[in-house]
Amino acid sequence: MQSILQYRKLGRSVAKQHSADTTGGHGDTHTPEEKVNDDRDDTGRIMVTASDDDPINPCNWSLRSRCKNIAVLSLLIFVQAWAGGAESMANKEASAEFGVSKVAENLSTAMYLWGIATGSLIAGPVSETIGRNPTYLVSTFVYLFFVLGSALAPNFATQVVCRYLIGLASSATLSINGGSVRDQFRPVKRSFVFPVIAWANVTPPVLAPIAGGWIVSSTRLSWHWVNWVTLIISAAVWLLAFFTLPETYLPLLLDWKAKHLRIVTGDERYTSEHASSKSFIDRMKHSLPLPFMFFLTEPVIAVLGFYLVLLYALLFSFLSGFDYIFKDPYNLPTSITGSCFGAIAVGTTAFALCAPGLYSWARHKTEFVQGAAVQPEFRLWPAIVTAPLLPVCLFWLGWATGGGISIWSGLGACVVFGIVLIAVYVGSYEYIIDSYGEHAAVALSSITMVRYFVAGGIVMAARPMYEDIGVNWTMTLLACFAVVLAPAPFLFRRYGKKLRAKSKYAKG
């Protein structure tokens, strides 16, 4: 709805501007060609472009408008990320109802993650063809039907299929939201905005089990209500987005402007770069191999990608692992076990509240110059500072819980994990966005694909791993991986510029 109003408003603006241009504001007539000669290409077409201060550019919209857009987008991300952890606390009840093992029931979470991994490959090209707004709204609308299907699922097969399709539909929102931030905010202001978006991505999977634990423990509600709650909040957010979220993809906005210029002038030569760019099929042929190529040829993508893989593997393995870390050793009911996830949320929220400080630091770094660029390596500082804490909190969680040790010890380790999770996410994503420019979407889709695919596999392995080798050695094994990866942000801070200079895709 908002996009339709936006399109019509742009049409009125173009007609008004054309009328002013042809009369010169004083009755003098000028031809449209006199106003756009510099934008003609070799074929005689008149290319519609935008200057740095053009009002059509979303980066020049009012700060209030852009903050509203980010708030609505964050809610869309929140509810679809919430779905990832929604059923985790109902594992025992669902497996009993469907007649499958608890390990098999973990497939409901794994299929959601694999759906996101699959969809992330096509979400970018789709959004660059039809725009961000219809991509978000259509995919979320479809997502609602599959959440409904999961809530009504009469058997295990239906549940698993619906969960995969929930993930597939969610992939658009969860994989291209970084592009929407880049559409609307220049580098310095992204230091303030991106922690908010990151919070909306990483926190819902640990908030959903809190609600799920209390729902499952209720004697008045079926475990299926974990999906009904997801459906209710998701439908409300979709309606809000439908009425308030505008289009922010500048190439498409320029295409709209070109269409209006053709109408008001009758001159068919007006066009845009988006209109003359590749079709969706061509975009797919070009884009599909790139994520795999990025992982094979770009050290930055490979290393930071594996770092995020480890963090997400931990995050989603905890959906099963908390039974072994907290529930069994401390004899906790399901409701309290779910509430233990709040410790991770405390950590992510604490870091997100540092966003104003990060923004002020970035402003100081650029000496308060309007529109100044930030060196990509500057973005790595949150990850550099917190990366050494990951192995610390994993060893802590593995060896300082249970056995008469206070539960607050383990919860403290989870708070630290939450801080590391969002700090590395923010540092890595912003570094990649700034480093790869127009190729950032492909770079991020590459990481998203691998991150969710591996996380889905870890979810299936989590229960057997915790049962066979125990909490102590499971956490120790994962902590060893964290030790190996801990220096990565610092090394990229030091050698990143040289690596970018050698890269075929990164900005020098």
Side-chain angles (χ1 to χ4, degrees), residues 287-309:
S287 298
L288 279 179
L290 286 180
F292 304 97
M293 191 181 303
F294 268 52
F295 242 93
L296 293 174
T297 63
E298 296 291 314
V300 170
I301 302 303
V303 176
L304 293 182
F306 279 122
Y307 215 134
L308 289 168
V309 163

Side-chain angles (χ1 to χ4, degrees), residues 177-193:
N177 54 74
S180 292
V181 174
R182 189 168 182 265
D183 289 344
Q184 299 176 74
F185 292 92
R186 294 186 174 89
V188 172
K189 284 192 172 67
R190 284 206 297 269
S191 302
F192 181 84
V193 176

Side-chain angles (χ1 to χ4, degrees), residues 18-34:
H18 172 67
S19 176
D21 287 346
T22 54
T23 63
H26 302 285
D28 299 325
T29 60
H30 301 277
T31 64
E33 290 85 345
E34 290 174 330

Side-chain angles (χ1 to χ4, degrees), residues 82-138:
W82 173 285
E87 293 188 352
S88 60
M89 301 310 297
N91 181 279
K92 179 181 177 181
E93 289 73 14
S95 60
E97 180 175 323
F98 295 140
V100 298
S101 68
K102 290 183 179 180
V103 174
E105 180 56 31
N106 276 2
L107 195 58
S108 69
T109 299
M111 292 300 284
Y112 165 85
L113 297 171
W114 290 334
I116 296 174
T118 307
S120 64
L121 292 174
I122 64 172
V126 168
S127 72
E128 291 173 0
T129 302
I130 65 174
R132 315 285 193 209
N133 189 279
T135 302
Y136 289 136
L137 294 180
V138 173

Side-chain angles (χ1 to χ4, degrees), residues 82 86 89 206-217 226 229 335 338-339:
W82 173 285
M89 301 310 297
V206 296
L207 290 180
I210 300 175
W214 289 99
I215 290 171
V216 170
S217 297
V226 296
V229 169
S335 57
S339 298

Side-chain angles (χ1 to χ4, degrees), residues 202-250:
V202 303
T203 306
V206 296
L207 290 180
I210 300 175
W214 289 99
I215 290 171
V216 170
S217 297
S218 172
T219 57
R220 305 175 68 177
L221 297 174
S222 159
W223 71 266
H224 289 279
W225 267 93
V226 296
N227 284 310
W228 288 115
V229 169
T230 303
L231 180 62
I232 291 167
I233 62 176
S234 298
V237 170
W238 182 84
L239 287 172
L240 176 65
F242 179 76
F243 287 108
T244 62
L245 197 64
E247 180 58 56
T248 62
Y249 188 49
L250 181 58

